């Protein structure tokens, strides 16, 4: 298979300006992917070593979570230098090697830009906090206290407590939507926007093909500093923050998702256009997420895609929920483009979250590859890795420490990737890994999934099916129906029309095919073909699927 891959040269990257639409993007959490030095922490050289695994899987691109210089209070999402690599991950030369090798293998490279906030160790913040008159004084969100000394607004941090921290140097509060060590940049200051656009240019010049934009709707705050209204209990959900977090008690009208954000996104898109780069924005909003997705991806001047949270939620992904999500998407964002994911570095792995059997995991993988939108796969998802149980004494995540034990944080989905079963670290490191490698993961390593019937081979087949059928990757989606455990839909592009049906339950169901003649296109992923003896109907066993193309 490797010999069939073609180098993704500059000409090829420029030729397909629509490459992102329907793409399968593989998320790499660099701390936990592959350690090349034996210090127990994954690095860029380790990514180079393991890129063939991703290319063999059939992905179109990789998304690398932050590797920038950082004090690592939030494991890289607190940046102290946007234009350099943290020494624990390597050097800029190592990053260049990642880009070069990825392009050789036909993979595009997307990197995680955290623009809404920096580390409090960033030189910008150190200067800004020194006094109220320095050149960077307005680069962060500073505000005077209320007359009684309390915080300027009632805004809350996602990581717990108020979103304001008192600073004695300026005798003002600064805004932090996450940790107190992650002050928010002031996007109302034009110089801040220019500096961040320069960051994007720096990485585009190094050959990246796009960005995953962390917390894209958090860039701007309400310049009038109005309080958020309360959110009635019956309207709360745990889509973007755990249920025990008081952040869910507010309707977040003023601390994020401001209208000024759209103009900045258009400026960023203009910077990206000459490079044929694409971006997927992470929209964090439990009530208006799809509406914001529609705003941010509407037309050719804004972001290409937005990362949706609906399938990352704790509740089971039933046919009804899938259908409701797409109905809401069609209503709120008729011209929008979503990027779907079941797992990532912030949520319980979906194998555990939905208590999936092997057969169920295959059904959901096939479904994901048949839905309209782009797709993100999280490292280890293709192996069927379950969530790891992490003892409190091994916990690294500050979010988990804050809300333990009702919420155990994100370390359970961040444990090191396993590559082989014959040593205790799964081939991840020759040293002690930064998080324990669960023994239960070892038998799921790629070295143990070489057989044709493995879950890993199923993911390869499902991705190949998507890539081989334009109707599945880029086509329109119509006639989605949910009835009990049965979900059906039609994907079409030009004269091609594919009917997809999925049994997301443990009992047999009968599927009525639309009128006409159909032939199977999903044999490689275990899809059932129509039975001539029962014209117009297909019987699907538990967790079965039917993928047929109109003749």
């Amino acid at each position: 298979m490797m010999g069939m891959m073609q180098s993704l040269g500059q000409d090829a990257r420029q030729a397909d300006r629509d490459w992102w639409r329907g793409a399968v993007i593989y998320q790499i959490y660099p701390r936990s992917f592959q350690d090349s030095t034996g210090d127990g922490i994954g690095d860029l050289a380790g990514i180079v070593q393991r890129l063939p695994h991703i290319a063999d899987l059939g992905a179109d691109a990789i998304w690398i979570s932050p590797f920038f210089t950082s004090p690592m209070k939030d494991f890289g999402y607190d940046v102290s230098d946007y234009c350099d690599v943290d020494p624990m991950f390597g050097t800029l030369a190592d990053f260049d090697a990642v880009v070069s090798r990825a392009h050789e293998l036909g993979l595009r490279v997307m990197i995680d830009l955290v623009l809404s906030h920096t580390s409090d160790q960033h030189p910008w913040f150190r200067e800004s906090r020194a006094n109220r008159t320095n050149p960077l004084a307005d680069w962060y969100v500073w505000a005077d206290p209320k007359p009684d000394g309390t915080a300027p607004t009632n805004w809350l941090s996602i990581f717990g407590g108020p979103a304001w921290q008192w600073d004695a140097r300026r005798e003002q509060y600064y805004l932090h939507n996450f940790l107190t060590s992650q002050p928010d940049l002031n996007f109302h200051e034009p110089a801040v926007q220019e500096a961040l656009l320069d960051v994007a240019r720096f990485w585009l010049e190094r050959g990246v093909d796009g960005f995953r934009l962390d917390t894209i709707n958090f860039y701007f705050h309400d310049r009038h500093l109005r309080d958020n209204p309360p959110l009635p209990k019956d309207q709360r959900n745990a889509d973007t923050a755990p249920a025990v977090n008081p952040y869910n008690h507010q309707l977040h009208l003023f601390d994020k998702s401001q209208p000024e954000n759209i103009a900045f996104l258009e400026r960023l898109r203009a910077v990206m256009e000459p490079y044929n780069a694409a971006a997927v924005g992470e929209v964090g909003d439990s009530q208006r997420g799809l509406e914001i997705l529609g705003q941010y991806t509407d037309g050719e001047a804004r972001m290409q895609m937005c990362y949706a949270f609906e399938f990352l939620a704790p509740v089971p992904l039933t046919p009804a929920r899938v259908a409701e999500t797409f109905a809401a998407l069609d209503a709120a964002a008729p011209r929008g483009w979503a990027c779907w994911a079941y797992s990532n570095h912030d949520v319980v792995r979906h194998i555990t979250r939905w208590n999936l059997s092997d057969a169920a995991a295959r059904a959901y993988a096939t479904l994901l590859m048949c839905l309209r939108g782009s797709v993100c796969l999280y490292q280890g998802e293709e192996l069927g890795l379950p969530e790891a149980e992490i003892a409190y004494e091994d916990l690294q995540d500050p979010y988990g420490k804050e809300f333990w034990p009702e919420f155990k944080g994100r370390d359970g989905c961040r444990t090191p990737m396993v590559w082989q079963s014959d040593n205790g670290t799964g081939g991840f490191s020759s040293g002690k890994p930064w998080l324990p490698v669960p023994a239960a993961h070892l038998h799921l390593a790629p070295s143990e999934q070489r057989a044709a019937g493995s879950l890993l081979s199923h993911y390869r087949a499902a991705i190949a099916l998507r890539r081989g059928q334009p109707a599945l990757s880029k086509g329109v989606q119509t006639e989605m129906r949910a009835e009990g455990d049965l979900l059906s839909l039609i994907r079409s592009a030009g004269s091609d029309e594919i009917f997809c049906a999925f049994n997301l339950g443990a009992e047999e169901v009968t599927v009525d095919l639309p009128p006409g003649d159909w032939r199977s296109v999903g044999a490689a992923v275990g899809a059932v073909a129509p039975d001539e003896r029962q014209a117009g109907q297909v019987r699907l066993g538990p967790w079965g699927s039917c993928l047929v193309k109109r003749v």
Side-chain angles (χ1 to χ4, degrees), residues 217 239-240 257 283-298 306-311 321-340:
N217 59 315
D239 285 359
T240 56
S257 308
V283 175
D285 192 283
S286 294
Q287 278 70 48
R288 298 188 297 134
L290 294 178
E291 174 189 337
I292 296 167
L293 179 154
Q295 294 172 357
Y296 289 4
T297 62
D298 188 12
C306 275
Y307 191 72
F309 276 73
E310 279 68 22
F311 297 164
R321 181 165 172 79
V322 176
E324 289 164 3
T325 297
F326 274 92
L329 178 65
D330 290 343
R335 298 199 299 170
W337 193 264
C339 190
W340 305 107

Side-chain angles (χ1 to χ4, degrees), residues 26-315:
Y26 187 98
Q27 182 192 354
I28 296 173
Y29 191 68
R31 293 181 70 93
S32 297
F33 199 57
Q34 178 66 57
D35 171 22
S36 71
T37 65
D39 66 357
I41 297 172
D43 47 50
L44 295 175
I47 292 175
V48 173
Q49 178 185 339
R50 297 298 186 181
L51 282 174
H53 169 80
I54 303 171
D56 275 346
L57 190 62
D60 299 286
I62 59 172
W63 144 30
I64 310 175
S65 290
F67 51 83
F68 315 107
T69 309
S70 168
M72 300 293 164
K73 297 290 181 64
D74 191 24
F75 300 105
Y77 284 88
D78 49 328
V79 178
S80 58
D81 187 343
Y82 282 111
C83 296
D84 205 356
V85 173
D86 193 280
M88 74 167 54
F89 295 128
T91 64
L92 280 170
D94 291 325
F95 178 78
D96 293 340
V98 171
V99 173
S100 177
R101 182 61 173 144
H103 287 169
E104 286 177 4
L105 295 171
L107 294 165
R108 287 180 167 85
V109 178
M110 307 178 77
I111 64 172
D112 207 328
L113 282 189
V114 189
L115 302 183
S116 69
H117 54 268
T118 71
S119 163
D120 60 2
Q121 301 303 305
H122 198 293
W124 296 346
F125 186 71
R126 288 180 171 176
E127 183 171 351
S128 185
R129 80 188 312 182
N131 54 60
R132 300 191 188 191
T133 59
N134 69 80
L136 273 62
D138 294 329
W139 277 41
Y140 291 81
V141 184
W142 295 97
D144 292 327
K146 290 181 178 178
D148 62 0
T150 56
T153 70
N154 69 344
W155 301 347
L156 296 174
S157 162
I158 284 186
F159 284 172
W164 296 96
Q165 178 68 20
W166 178 253
D167 188 88
R169 298 167 184 82
R170 293 181 48 142
E171 295 188 37
Q172 285 182 306
Y173 285 94
Y174 67 83
L175 179 67
H176 63 92
N177 277 296
F178 298 92
L179 295 174
T180 57
S181 58
Q182 292 172 296
D184 274 61
L185 285 160
N186 178 19
F187 275 72
H188 293 289
E189 170 57 53
V192 169
Q193 294 190 34
E194 290 299 331
L196 294 175
L197 292 175
D198 282 344
V199 169
R201 291 186 184 99
F202 175 86
W203 292 106
L204 289 166
E205 283 294 315
R206 295 199 89 89
V208 304
D209 301 287
F211 306 108
R212 183 266 191 181
L213 298 170
D214 185 70
T215 57
I216 191 175
N217 59 315
F218 283 73
Y219 292 170
F220 282 83
H221 66 286
D222 173 47
R223 63 169 70 248
H224 303 295
L225 299 181
R226 287 171 282 188
D227 282 349
N228 284 328
L231 183 68
K233 189 172 183 179
D234 62 357
Q235 296 180 30
R236 299 173 195 166
N237 62 58
D239 285 359
T240 56
V244 296
N245 192 339
Y247 188 83
N248 293 319
H249 293 211
Q250 291 185 357
L251 181 60
H252 294 274
L253 292 182
F254 300 114
D255 52 348
K256 60 184 181 183
S257 308
Q258 299 305 291
E260 297 95 330
N261 207 31
I262 290 175
F264 175 76
L265 296 181
E266 291 176 346
R267 295 188 69 198
L268 178 58
R269 176 70 180 264
V271 168
M272 293 161 50
E273 275 299 294
Y275 301 89
N276 193 25
V280 52
E282 179 200 30
V283 175
D285 192 283
S286 294
Q287 278 70 48
R288 298 188 297 134
L290 294 178
E291 174 189 337
I292 296 167
L293 179 154
Q295 294 172 357
Y296 289 4
T297 62
D298 188 12
E300 297 296 318
R302 301 175 187 175
M303 297 297 96
Q304 287 89 350
M305 321 171 259
C306 275
Y307 191 72
F309 276 73
E310 279 68 22
F311 297 164
L312 295 164
V315 296

Side-chain angles (χ1 to χ4, degrees), residues 485-488 499-512 526-530 534 537-547:
D485 289 331
L486 178 63
L487 178 72
S488 64
F499 174 75
C500 310
F502 309 91
N503 179 5
L504 301 182
E507 302 294 331
E508 183 179 277
V509 298
T510 299
V511 180
D512 292 321
V528 176
Q534 296 182 2
Q537 284 192 332
V538 175
R539 289 193 298 177
L540 292 181
W543 307 106
S545 61
C546 172
L547 305 174

Side-chain angles (χ1 to χ4, degrees), residues 337-515:
W337 193 264
C339 190
W340 305 107
Y342 292 157
S343 290
N344 68 18
H345 63 294
D346 282 336
V347 301
V348 173
R349 287 183 175 273
H350 72 279
I351 293 289
T352 299
R353 199 169 76 241
W354 299 333
N355 190 29
L356 301 183
S357 65
D358 180 73
R362 293 165 189 260
Y364 278 103
T366 306
L367 168 64
L368 187 61
M369 295 304 155
C370 294
L371 294 175
R372 180 181 185 271
S374 299
V375 169
C376 279
L377 300 180
Y378 180 51
Q379 64 183 49
E381 176 178 340
E382 73 279 15
L383 306 179
L385 296 187
E387 184 81 354
E389 281 292 330
I390 305 295
Y392 184 80
E393 55 268 25
D394 292 324
L395 206 65
Q396 304 288 328
D397 184 15
Y399 203 2
K401 292 177 181 179
E402 178 71 23
F403 290 104
W404 182 276
E406 284 75 16
F407 173 66
K408 297 182 179 181
R410 301 164 294 179
D411 288 341
C413 65
R414 297 179 174 183
T415 56
M417 184 77 168
V418 292
W419 300 102
Q420 59 196 68
S421 61
D422 57 359
N423 69 48
T425 70
F428 165 73
S429 175
S430 60
K432 181 181 178 182
W434 74 286
L435 282 174
V437 176
H441 284 189
L442 297 179
H443 78 282
L444 298 171
S447 64
E448 301 300 307
Q449 296 203 41
R450 292 173 177 157
S454 68
L455 180 62
L456 176 56
S457 67
H458 179 88
Y459 266 85
R460 287 177 180 145
I463 293 171
L465 175 68
R466 180 181 180 87
R467 295 186 72 176
Q469 298 289 342
L472 295 181
S473 58
K474 293 179 168 61
V476 298
Q477 180 172 289
T478 57
E479 299 187 41
M480 178 174 278
R481 295 186 175 89
E483 184 178 352
D485 289 331
L486 178 63
L487 178 72
S488 64
L489 55 100
I490 290 178
R491 301 296 310 279
S492 54
S495 60
D496 287 345
E497 187 175 2
I498 298 178
F499 174 75
C500 310
F502 309 91
N503 179 5
L504 301 182
E507 302 294 331
E508 183 179 277
V509 298
T510 299
V511 180
D512 292 321
L513 297 177

